[in-house]
Amino acid sequence: MATVRINGQSRTIDGPDDTTLLWAIRDMAGLTGTKYGCGAGLCGACTVHVDGEAVRSCQSTVGDVAGKDVTTIEGLSPDGNHPVQVAWREYNVPQCGFCQAGQIMQAAAILKQKPDLTDDEILEGMSGNICRCGCYERIVAAVRHVSTGS
Amino acid sequence: MLHYLEQAMSDAPKQRAPELEFANVSRRGFLTIAATGFAVAAFTTQAGAFARYKTGGDFMPHGIRYDPKIFVSIDADGTVTIVAHRSEMGTGSRTSLPMVLADEMGADWSRVKIVQAEGDEPKYGNQDTDGSRSMRHHIQSMRQMGASVRHMLAQAAAKKWGVDAKSVTVGVHEVTSGGRKAGFGDLAADAMALDVPAFEDLTFRTEDQFRYIGKGNIPITDLHDITTGKAIYGADVSLPGMKFAAIARPPAVGSKPIRYDATATFKVPGVEKVLGLQISNFPAKFAPLGGIAVIASNTDAAIKGRDALEIEWAEGPHSGYNSAAFTEEMRATAKKPGAVLRAEGDAKAAFEGAAKVFARDYSQAHMAHAMMEPPVAVANVANGKAEIWAPVQSPFGTRGDLAGALNMPIEDVTVNVTLLGGGFGRKSKCDFAIEAAQLSQRIGAPVKVQWTREDDIRHSFYHTTSVERIEVALDADNKVTGWRHNSVAPSILSTFAPDSGHQFFIESGMGHIDMPFDIPNISVENGAAMAHTRIGWFRSVSNIPRAWAVQSFVAELANEIGRDHKDLLMEMIGPDRLLDPPKQGFPENFWDYGEVYDEYPIDTARLKNVLAIAADKAGWGLDLPAGEGIGLAVHRSFVTYVATAARVKIVDGKITVPEMHMALDCGFAANPERIRSQMEGAAVMGMTTAMHSGITYENGAVTQSNFHDYPMVRSDNYPQKVHTHVVPHGFEVHASGVGEPGVPPVPPAIANAVFAATGKRLRDLPFGDTV
């Protein structure tokens, strides 16, 4: 048994400390916005924030986040209107939508670190997140919009 | 797709006959009409806003439904609920089809709610979401149902107010007559109790009256849920008491486990059971591969327990499959004569009398779809009933397959369709749903089967591997007098029926037989290649290797004979004309994407037009800096015409694509915004196909496993700017689909651009990202 703070709430995880954070979030905490895409830290679909930084939850364990704050897509903004979420809607970014929670969490994290990202920084910062539908142009445009207003 | 496979498999001609007969009758019918100038008057409406036409939708299982009482309901508060009966996998059909209905009806989109249909074709009509045909087959029924409800609302108001129906106007979500006014909700109960008007009694909006259709002003319906993590995909379904399963499947199809040791598996906390599953070998349609299942209390334990299994697999029927050697075998086969599928003129004589023969071959490796959501399904089989929640493209096909696998009547099986985290054809095959249902039946509890990415890459129904060889005969003036195209590739049919090594009519209809060039002597051939893995359809299907070969070849030929590529391509397409299949040696069973040929003929003017647009917008013919080049390709697939002009820039040996122009003619453009997103996506998937997507086999097992060795285009190198140019048409030019046609021209356009930039010719997919 371990306790993890997710979106400001303490949750008891019925599993050992080496339980993969992604599955603890999905199966045990019941928060399904965070997605499984590869299980190997290669696609970014499972991205969450741990103490404000983007982390691949498929590569973290419950033990790794003890005493830390985990934020998932459900907790990114109380009303769902984080500037990145708003920009995603403005650009009608998603196609199938499956990777987008991870994309949004990644974008929010890199924008928090540096609010005025250059294009190269956006491309580099988002390169760990795969979108098989191929929404990159809109993803980059939405991040750029939040970053520079253009 | 499935429908045609079943057709092809059945040796009973009566199954295929109706369509063939219709095609023939219609062809004659068209000639009569053309000769007399007779319009399709029986179907025109008052304003001529909507002349009905025939689509292949009528030939699909269960056809098309036109009853608004099935698709529309209106609450007293005015909320309009519209059923989405097609699966949403990213193309936007869950938004675009209801949008068409809502616009024709007069509904305010902000008051429209979408509900997803369960798998029930007798009720909703065909639900197979593939073949780029959701809009193509259903735009007419959506308009008709919308108009029907509008008429019913008007009639209800007229009756209520005791006025002539002609004095009633249906505005946006309200009905008025003189000073009277009522909302849709006020009239709903009365209106929906009325009989549905006949098509002939309906009026339709003219295009200038559309608010949403053709405008591209509607965000996708799931946008808010997707951006807040609330959208429900397959794995997001949870049932009380549900168990979690991961399965170790045979490394080579059909291999059986000799022994296994689950000691380490049972040490994983949460693991509850280990179960052996029956091994299958193709042809077995969508039967699960079998293997050893680990049942656990959560997904993490199931996967870790599965990974801890020690299994020794026996050699199986396909353990000798080595794809590198197989490609060379196909290359040798392609050089020999194949079974002739289309013969026009006398190709043999043309080659014998040629001043010169020019030949090249082009290969493609297998591909896995690698949609971001790997296969997953939740099943609850209890008390003689089965209920499944799964991201499936063919909900009713899934229901039938489940009924068979569970030995239950289809009435006792329910298939709920979640959102699909990508599909690309993989999720038309419901092996994962059968796995979940059979496990649930066996253990007496709800089960979720989660495929890992490794499972997805290693146990797919793969895009076929191929060698396409093209030879042309040239006369002394370098004019092409003969064309021979031999396609060698294992067939999708091998998944469904004993393998002959030969392709079947739908594969041959995808850019092979229907080659549109104006060449007098043509031989289209198919050499045999046996399947050694499960072959399935992948977005765009055989059009990918065909466009790759044909469009690369013409560019090579242009270079060989010192011609401008665009000029030669235009010249080879030839004069504006509609191809006449029987006259041009097409076989009787030529497949025009399941359509009546005369409704969607091969139109060279439209093909040349998109090519001209793409080339012009990309600046074809302008001087470019060293290390840069523009490449062109044009291809008709799924009755849509797409040309790609790719601009490539080589940066330190790496192929980058700063700009791509996608020019398309898809007839009437119902939702230009989602058409654009499909073209942007096709540019990316086409680039991934061109550079990265290669599944290879050693001793029957897939070599790749995850995104490190089966990579995808990412934001650090993607087509930076995709310009989509949609040829504008009125509703009278039949809408076609856009889910697949964007992909095929992209790989040859990139390769042709790489050649222009570097002089290096690429002939094998995938060709990597460096030169």
Side-chain angles (χ1 to χ4, degrees), chain B residues 42-61:
Chain B
F43 295 121
T44 48
T45 58
Q46 314 182 354
F50 181 177
R52 201 141 82 161
Y53 54 90
K54 194 88 179 158
T55 72
D58 294 327
F59 310 122
M60 296 296 292

Side-chain angles (χ1 to χ4, degrees), chain B residues 654-685:
Chain B
K654 195 172 176 117
I655 303 167
T656 69
V657 183
E659 190 178 73
M660 208 181 272
H661 291 266
M662 303 288 285
L664 81 156
D665 183 342
C666 59
F668 179 69
N671 189 353
E673 197 279 333
R674 286 294 96 177
I675 292 170
R676 274 202 306 282
S677 70
Q678 283 304 294
M679 291 304 115
E680 290 158 10
V684 172
M685 189 173 277

Side-chain angles (χ1 to χ4, degrees), chain B residues 42-224:
Chain B
F43 295 121
T44 48
T45 58
Q46 314 182 354
F50 181 177
R52 201 141 82 161
Y53 54 90
K54 194 88 179 158
T55 72
D58 294 327
F59 310 122
M60 296 296 292
H62 303 101
I64 295 173
R65 296 288 172 276
Y66 297 89
D67 183 354
K69 293 183 183 179
I70 294 171
F71 278 83
V72 186
S73 59
I74 309 172
D75 291 347
D77 71 358
T79 303
V80 172
T81 301
I82 302 176
V83 173
H85 70 304
R86 315 284 290 177
S87 299
E88 180 56 76
M89 52 186 163
T91 62
S93 64
R94 185 171 137 91
T95 301
S96 301
L97 289 175
M99 173 199 86
V100 170
L101 193 159
D103 195 358
E104 190 64 75
M105 172 182 165
D108 174 353
W109 187 252
S110 70
R111 300 175 74 181
V112 171
K113 208 171 83 182
I114 311 289
V115 295
Q116 188 69 34
E118 73 278 18
D120 191 351
E121 291 188 359
K123 183 173 178 185
Y124 299 109
N126 186 264
Q127 295 180 277
D128 289 336
T129 313
D130 59 13
S132 301
R133 58 191 164 208
S134 287
M135 190 56 73
R136 186 167 104 221
H137 286 176
H138 299 278
I139 187 170
Q140 296 186 91
S141 60
M142 293 295 144
R143 285 194 70 184
Q144 182 173 336
M145 289 190 284
S148 297
V149 177
R150 174 163 42 79
H151 277 244
M152 289 151 76
L153 287 162
Q155 279 176 43
K159 200 168 164 193
K160 186 173 177 175
W161 296 328
V163 297
D164 187 337
K166 285 191 182 120
S167 76
V168 174
T169 305
V170 180
V172 178
H173 232 92
E174 65 175 25
V175 182
T176 54
S177 175
R180 298 189 179 87
K181 187 158 115 178
F184 281 6
D186 305 327
L187 300 165
D190 292 343
M192 296 312 276
L194 295 170
D195 288 342
V196 177
F199 178 82
E200 290 72 18
D201 296 332
L202 295 172
T203 55
F204 289 91
R205 292 185 190 282
T206 51
E207 286 169 39
D208 59 343
Q209 294 170 331
F210 289 154
R211 294 162 299 133
Y212 310 132
I213 301 171
K215 305 292 185 224
N217 55 358
I218 298 295
I220 56 171
T221 186
D222 298 297
L223 188 55
H224 197 274

